[in-house]
Amino acid sequence: MSRGALPGLPPPRPIPLKDRASLVFVERARLDVADGAFVALNADGTRTQIPIGGLAGIMLEPGARISHAAVALAARAGTLITWVGEGGDRKANRSVRALTS
């Protein structure tokens, strides 16, 4: 049985990129997985479910934190995760590349 498949059901197939919503920007929230769903947890405790499989990408602005489980779920769903600066500025991307090279 392939990973993520339920007994008796075919394995899930990612939604084609052309059929997905474009981007979601997340600022000052903690992203995690709860009950198998992608959720954003705000400082006041509010939980917001995010339809990860229907998004082309998530832009993480300053103050956003993401768990390893959330990154793994996004990868299985084929959703891009990008770290950006304030207001979508790409300066944060350059620093991430510098740290990984």
Side-chain angles (χ1 to χ4, degrees):
M1 182 184 322
S2 77
R3 198 171 171 192
L6 297 173
L9 295 175
R13 287 180 285 153
I15 298 171
L17 195 56
K18 66 180 182 177
D19 296 332
R20 296 181 184 207
S22 58
L23 299 171
V24 168
F25 286 81
V26 177
E27 182 180 22
R28 293 177 180 77
R30 193 176 96 224
L31 299 176
D32 206 347
V33 176
D35 300 325
F38 207 80
V39 295
L41 182 63
N42 294 334
D44 63 0
T46 305
R47 288 178 172 238
T48 305
Q49 286 193 346
I50 299 174
I52 192 74
L55 295 174
I58 294 180
M59 307 293 262
L60 300 177
E61 295 190 42
R65 297 176 60 191
I66 188 165
S67 71
H68 184 269
V71 172
L73 180 60
R76 282 194 307 272
T79 299
L80 175 71
I81 297 175
T82 306
W83 284 261
V84 295
E86 195 90 26
D89 183 22
R90 296 182 305 168
K91 289 179 184 171
N93 284 340
R94 283 188 227 118
S95 64
V96 169
R97 278 196 301 267
L99 291 174
T100 58
S101 57

